[in-house]
Amino acid sequence: VQLQASGGGLVQAGGSLRLSCAASGGAFRTYSMGWFRQASGKEREFVATIKGNGGGTFYADSVKGRFTISRDNAKNTVYLQMNSLKPDDTAVYRCAATRHAINSSIRYSGSYNNWGPGTQVTVSS
């Protein structure tokens, strides 16, 4: 499956953005779809995942209650609604897909074998 993220930009602290990730070339509903981010000089970190076939959602503690991941299987698209943004949320965000993740490994980037190019999110203070 091929992935393309969009929706990044510059926003003030406290603001909102919605990222989209469009998928093509695979049975989208069977994929678990994740968002990861990497800030300059830091390691990539897990943000959120929504499992395929109605399997549930998972969030990093740092975004729980502020970010919401959702998917529209008819549009082959996964979304990340980001509210109450903080400067610490500044990073390149990438979407990823896997058909093989289990709950215990869903937060690890190595569980995902399809990645899209990133979209920059910058939150100013």
Side-chain angles (χ1 to χ4, degrees):
V1 63
Q2 291 77 48
L3 306 174
Q4 182 65 52
S6 62
L10 173 64
V11 64
Q12 289 189 330
S16 299
L17 282 174
R18 188 177 79 158
L19 305 183
S20 300
C21 177
S24 61
F28 178 75
R29 66 176 61 247
T30 68
Y31 283 85
S32 295
M33 301 296 298
W35 287 97
F36 289 77
R37 67 186 183 186
Q38 188 166 15
S40 180
K42 295 186 177 180
E43 293 185 353
R44 181 185 299 167
E45 66 172 347
F46 169 76
V47 177
T49 286
I50 185 166
K51 294 196 76 175
N53 298 319
T57 58
F58 301 79
Y59 294 93
D61 288 343
S62 58
V63 307
K64 200 173 295 183
R66 300 188 298 122
F67 291 10
T68 302
I69 190 169
S70 62
R71 65 192 298 158
D72 185 336
N73 289 334
K75 296 183 178 180
N76 288 0
T77 301
V78 62
Y79 303 98
L80 185 69
Q81 178 66 43
M82 305 185 294
N83 298 329
S84 302
L85 283 161
K86 305 174 182 179
D88 284 348
D89 295 318
T90 295
V92 174
Y93 285 70
R94 296 181 71 184
C95 59
T98 181
R99 297 178 69 180
H100 305 295
I102 57 177
N103 289 0
S104 61
S105 64
I106 205 80
R107 291 172 171 81
Y108 296 98
S109 60
S111 297
Y112 298 78
N113 48 15
N114 293 276
W115 291 83
T119 185
Q120 176 72 46
V121 171
T122 303
V123 184
S124 63
S125 58

